PDB file of all heavy atoms in Angstrom:
ATOM      1  N   LEU D 373      -5.695  -4.438 -15.255  1.00  0.00           N
ATOM      2  CA  LEU D 373      -5.667  -5.002 -16.604  1.00  0.00           C
ATOM      3  C   LEU D 373      -5.495  -6.513 -16.554  1.00  0.00           C
ATOM      4  O   LEU D 373      -6.131  -7.247 -17.326  1.00  0.00           O
ATOM      5  CB  LEU D 373      -4.532  -4.365 -17.408  1.00  0.00           C
ATOM      6  CG  LEU D 373      -4.639  -2.858 -17.623  1.00  0.00           C
ATOM      7  CD1 LEU D 373      -3.319  -2.300 -18.132  1.00  0.00           C
ATOM      8  CD2 LEU D 373      -5.764  -2.520 -18.586  1.00  0.00           C
ATOM      9  N   GLU D 374      -4.650  -6.997 -15.645  1.00  0.00           N
ATOM     10  CA  GLU D 374      -4.477  -8.446 -15.486  1.00  0.00           C
ATOM     11  C   GLU D 374      -5.778  -9.102 -15.052  1.00  0.00           C
ATOM     12  O   GLU D 374      -6.140 -10.179 -15.534  1.00  0.00           O
ATOM     13  CB  GLU D 374      -3.355  -8.722 -14.487  1.00  0.00           C
ATOM     14  CG  GLU D 374      -1.982  -8.316 -15.000  1.00  0.00           C
ATOM     15  CD  GLU D 374      -0.896  -8.414 -13.939  1.00  0.00           C
ATOM     16  OE1 GLU D 374      -1.250  -8.538 -12.735  1.00  0.00           O
ATOM     17  OE2 GLU D 374       0.298  -8.361 -14.295  1.00  0.00           O
ATOM     18  N   ASP D 375      -6.503  -8.440 -14.150  1.00  0.00           N
ATOM     19  CA  ASP D 375      -7.795  -8.973 -13.729  1.00  0.00           C
ATOM     20  C   ASP D 375      -8.790  -8.956 -14.893  1.00  0.00           C
ATOM     21  O   ASP D 375      -9.593  -9.885 -15.049  1.00  0.00           O
ATOM     22  CB  ASP D 375      -8.355  -8.152 -12.565  1.00  0.00           C
ATOM     23  CG  ASP D 375      -7.590  -8.376 -11.264  1.00  0.00           C
ATOM     24  OD1 ASP D 375      -6.799  -9.335 -11.194  1.00  0.00           O
ATOM     25  OD2 ASP D 375      -7.789  -7.583 -10.327  1.00  0.00           O
ATOM     26  N   LEU D 376      -8.734  -7.918 -15.709  1.00  0.00           N
ATOM     27  CA  LEU D 376      -9.674  -7.784 -16.821  1.00  0.00           C
ATOM     28  C   LEU D 376      -9.471  -8.870 -17.877  1.00  0.00           C
ATOM     29  O   LEU D 376     -10.439  -9.493 -18.336  1.00  0.00           O
ATOM     30  CB  LEU D 376      -9.535  -6.393 -17.453  1.00  0.00           C
ATOM     31  CG  LEU D 376     -10.463  -6.075 -18.621  1.00  0.00           C
ATOM     32  CD1 LEU D 376     -11.929  -6.100 -18.194  1.00  0.00           C
ATOM     33  CD2 LEU D 376     -10.105  -4.712 -19.229  1.00  0.00           C
ATOM     34  N   VAL D 377      -8.213  -9.113 -18.270  1.00  0.00           N
ATOM     35  CA  VAL D 377      -7.980 -10.063 -19.366  1.00  0.00           C
ATOM     36  C   VAL D 377      -8.187 -11.521 -18.944  1.00  0.00           C
ATOM     37  O   VAL D 377      -8.218 -12.409 -19.782  1.00  0.00           O
ATOM     38  CB  VAL D 377      -6.579  -9.884 -20.002  1.00  0.00           C
ATOM     39  CG1 VAL D 377      -6.435  -8.506 -20.613  1.00  0.00           C
ATOM     40  CG2 VAL D 377      -5.460 -10.168 -19.001  1.00  0.00           C
ATOM     41  N   GLU D 378      -8.357 -11.762 -17.639  1.00  0.00           N
ATOM     42  CA  GLU D 378      -8.718 -13.105 -17.186  1.00  0.00           C
ATOM     43  C   GLU D 378     -10.178 -13.435 -17.491  1.00  0.00           C
ATOM     44  O   GLU D 378     -10.567 -14.601 -17.516  1.00  0.00           O
ATOM     45  CB  GLU D 378      -8.494 -13.236 -15.672  1.00  0.00           C
ATOM     46  CG  GLU D 378      -7.041 -13.348 -15.263  1.00  0.00           C
ATOM     47  CD  GLU D 378      -6.903 -13.555 -13.760  1.00  0.00           C
ATOM     48  OE1 GLU D 378      -7.940 -13.526 -13.054  1.00  0.00           O
ATOM     49  OE2 GLU D 378      -5.766 -13.736 -13.294  1.00  0.00           O
ATOM     50  N   MET D 379     -10.972 -12.411 -17.719  1.00  0.00           N
ATOM     51  CA  MET D 379     -12.413 -12.593 -17.800  1.00  0.00           C
ATOM     52  C   MET D 379     -12.863 -12.940 -19.218  1.00  0.00           C
ATOM     53  O   MET D 379     -12.157 -12.683 -20.198  1.00  0.00           O
ATOM     54  CB  MET D 379     -13.125 -11.329 -17.295  1.00  0.00           C
ATOM     55  CG  MET D 379     -12.706 -10.949 -15.874  1.00  0.00           C
ATOM     56  SD  MET D 379     -13.653  -9.613 -15.180  1.00  0.00           S
ATOM     57  CE  MET D 379     -15.203 -10.460 -14.850  1.00  0.00           C
ATOM     58  N   ILE D 380     -14.065 -13.508 -19.307  1.00  0.00           N
ATOM     59  CA  ILE D 380     -14.706 -13.707 -20.602  1.00  0.00           C
ATOM     60  C   ILE D 380     -15.010 -12.327 -21.179  1.00  0.00           C
ATOM     61  O   ILE D 380     -15.479 -11.457 -20.459  1.00  0.00           O
ATOM     62  CB  ILE D 380     -16.014 -14.517 -20.436  1.00  0.00           C
ATOM     63  CG1 ILE D 380     -15.708 -15.910 -19.876  1.00  0.00           C
ATOM     64  CG2 ILE D 380     -16.791 -14.621 -21.739  1.00  0.00           C
ATOM     65  CD1 ILE D 380     -16.944 -16.688 -19.464  1.00  0.00           C
ATOM     66  N   PRO D 381     -14.749 -12.034 -22.452  1.00  0.00           N
ATOM     67  CA  PRO D 381     -14.362 -12.957 -23.513  1.00  0.00           C
ATOM     68  C   PRO D 381     -12.852 -13.011 -23.790  1.00  0.00           C
ATOM     69  O   PRO D 381     -12.437 -13.619 -24.773  1.00  0.00           O
ATOM     70  CB  PRO D 381     -15.081 -12.350 -24.716  1.00  0.00           C
ATOM     71  CG  PRO D 381     -14.971 -10.871 -24.474  1.00  0.00           C
ATOM     72  CD  PRO D 381     -15.100 -10.703 -22.977  1.00  0.00           C
ATOM     73  N   PHE D 382     -12.034 -12.384 -22.931  1.00  0.00           N
ATOM     74  CA  PHE D 382     -10.595 -12.305 -23.213  1.00  0.00           C
ATOM     75  C   PHE D 382      -9.877 -13.622 -22.914  1.00  0.00           C
ATOM     76  O   PHE D 382      -8.991 -14.037 -23.658  1.00  0.00           O
ATOM     77  CB  PHE D 382      -9.971 -11.156 -22.426  1.00  0.00           C
ATOM     78  CG  PHE D 382     -10.588  -9.824 -22.725  1.00  0.00           C
ATOM     79  CD1 PHE D 382     -11.295  -9.126 -21.742  1.00  0.00           C
ATOM     80  CD2 PHE D 382     -10.482  -9.255 -23.973  1.00  0.00           C
ATOM     81  CE1 PHE D 382     -11.868  -7.897 -22.014  1.00  0.00           C
ATOM     82  CE2 PHE D 382     -11.047  -8.028 -24.263  1.00  0.00           C
ATOM     83  CZ  PHE D 382     -11.749  -7.347 -23.275  1.00  0.00           C
ATOM     84  N   ASN D 383     -10.226 -14.224 -21.769  1.00  0.00           N
ATOM     85  CA  ASN D 383      -9.745 -15.573 -21.443  1.00  0.00           C
ATOM     86  C   ASN D 383      -8.223 -15.719 -21.543  1.00  0.00           C
ATOM     87  O   ASN D 383      -7.709 -16.709 -22.059  1.00  0.00           O
ATOM     88  CB  ASN D 383     -10.423 -16.606 -22.350  1.00  0.00           C
ATOM     89  CG  ASN D 383     -11.931 -16.590 -22.208  1.00  0.00           C
ATOM     90  OD1 ASN D 383     -12.454 -16.432 -21.108  1.00  0.00           O
ATOM     91  ND2 ASN D 383     -12.633 -16.732 -23.320  1.00  0.00           N
ATOM     92  N   LEU D 384      -7.507 -14.692 -21.071  1.00  0.00           N
ATOM     93  CA  LEU D 384      -6.044 -14.705 -21.026  1.00  0.00           C
ATOM     94  C   LEU D 384      -5.391 -14.790 -22.404  1.00  0.00           C
ATOM     95  O   LEU D 384      -4.205 -15.076 -22.520  1.00  0.00           O
ATOM     96  CB  LEU D 384      -5.533 -15.851 -20.142  1.00  0.00           C
ATOM     97  CG  LEU D 384      -5.840 -15.718 -18.644  1.00  0.00           C
ATOM     98  CD1 LEU D 384      -5.422 -16.976 -17.898  1.00  0.00           C
ATOM     99  CD2 LEU D 384      -5.135 -14.494 -18.054  1.00  0.00           C
ATOM    100  N   GLN D 385      -6.161 -14.513 -23.452  1.00  0.00           N
ATOM    101  CA  GLN D 385      -5.608 -14.530 -24.808  1.00  0.00           C
ATOM    102  C   GLN D 385      -5.116 -13.151 -25.237  1.00  0.00           C
ATOM    103  O   GLN D 385      -4.665 -12.987 -26.371  1.00  0.00           O
ATOM    104  CB  GLN D 385      -6.670 -15.036 -25.796  1.00  0.00           C
ATOM    105  CG  GLN D 385      -7.115 -16.473 -25.539  1.00  0.00           C
ATOM    106  CD  GLN D 385      -5.934 -17.437 -25.562  1.00  0.00           C
ATOM    107  OE1 GLN D 385      -5.153 -17.476 -26.506  1.00  0.00           O
ATOM    108  NE2 GLN D 385      -5.782 -18.209 -24.487  1.00  0.00           N
ATOM    109  N   TYR D 386      -5.211 -12.182 -24.335  1.00  0.00           N
ATOM    110  CA  TYR D 386      -4.806 -10.811 -24.669  1.00  0.00           C
ATOM    111  C   TYR D 386      -3.600 -10.398 -23.843  1.00  0.00           C
ATOM    112  O   TYR D 386      -3.536 -10.644 -22.634  1.00  0.00           O
ATOM    113  CB  TYR D 386      -5.963  -9.839 -24.432  1.00  0.00           C
ATOM    114  CG  TYR D 386      -6.929  -9.794 -25.601  1.00  0.00           C
ATOM    115  CD1 TYR D 386      -7.711 -10.896 -25.905  1.00  0.00           C
ATOM    116  CD2 TYR D 386      -7.014  -8.687 -26.431  1.00  0.00           C
ATOM    117  CE1 TYR D 386      -8.575 -10.895 -26.993  1.00  0.00           C
ATOM    118  CE2 TYR D 386      -7.868  -8.660 -27.523  1.00  0.00           C
ATOM    119  CZ  TYR D 386      -8.641  -9.769 -27.797  1.00  0.00           C
ATOM    120  OH  TYR D 386      -9.485  -9.749 -28.885  1.00  0.00           O
ATOM    121  N   GLY D 387      -2.638  -9.786 -24.524  1.00  0.00           N
ATOM    122  CA  GLY D 387      -1.481  -9.226 -23.856  1.00  0.00           C
ATOM    123  C   GLY D 387      -1.733  -7.793 -23.450  1.00  0.00           C
ATOM    124  O   GLY D 387      -2.718  -7.155 -23.864  1.00  0.00           O
ATOM    125  N   TYR D 405      -3.986  -6.447 -26.596  1.00  0.00           N
ATOM    126  CA  TYR D 405      -3.840  -6.953 -27.959  1.00  0.00           C
ATOM    127  C   TYR D 405      -4.015  -8.464 -27.976  1.00  0.00           C
ATOM    128  O   TYR D 405      -3.647  -9.170 -27.034  1.00  0.00           O
ATOM    129  CB  TYR D 405      -2.479  -6.572 -28.548  1.00  0.00           C
ATOM    130  CG  TYR D 405      -1.295  -7.136 -27.805  1.00  0.00           C
ATOM    131  CD1 TYR D 405      -0.694  -8.331 -28.206  1.00  0.00           C
ATOM    132  CD2 TYR D 405      -0.775  -6.490 -26.684  1.00  0.00           C
ATOM    133  CE1 TYR D 405       0.387  -8.861 -27.516  1.00  0.00           C
ATOM    134  CE2 TYR D 405       0.304  -7.015 -25.980  1.00  0.00           C
ATOM    135  CZ  TYR D 405       0.876  -8.200 -26.402  1.00  0.00           C
ATOM    136  OH  TYR D 405       1.941  -8.738 -25.713  1.00  0.00           O
ATOM    137  N   LYS D 407      -2.987 -11.861 -28.701  1.00  0.00           N
ATOM    138  CA  LYS D 407      -1.643 -12.433 -28.856  1.00  0.00           C
ATOM    139  C   LYS D 407      -1.533 -13.373 -30.053  1.00  0.00           C
ATOM    140  O   LYS D 407      -0.430 -13.641 -30.527  1.00  0.00           O
ATOM    141  CB  LYS D 407      -1.242 -13.161 -27.572  1.00  0.00           C
ATOM    142  CG  LYS D 407      -1.022 -12.223 -26.391  1.00  0.00           C
ATOM    143  CD  LYS D 407      -0.501 -12.947 -25.158  1.00  0.00           C
ATOM    144  CE  LYS D 407      -1.576 -13.739 -24.460  1.00  0.00           C
ATOM    145  NZ  LYS D 407      -1.138 -14.272 -23.135  1.00  0.00           N
TER     146      LYS D 407
END
Side-chain angles (χ1 to χ4, degrees):
L373 298 167
E374 292 172 346
D375 289 347
L376 181 63
V377 298
E378 286 183 356
M379 304 187 74
I380 298 170
F382 302 115
N383 301 321
L384 293 174
Q385 297 303 307
Y386 277 68
Y405 62 95
K407 292 185 285 189

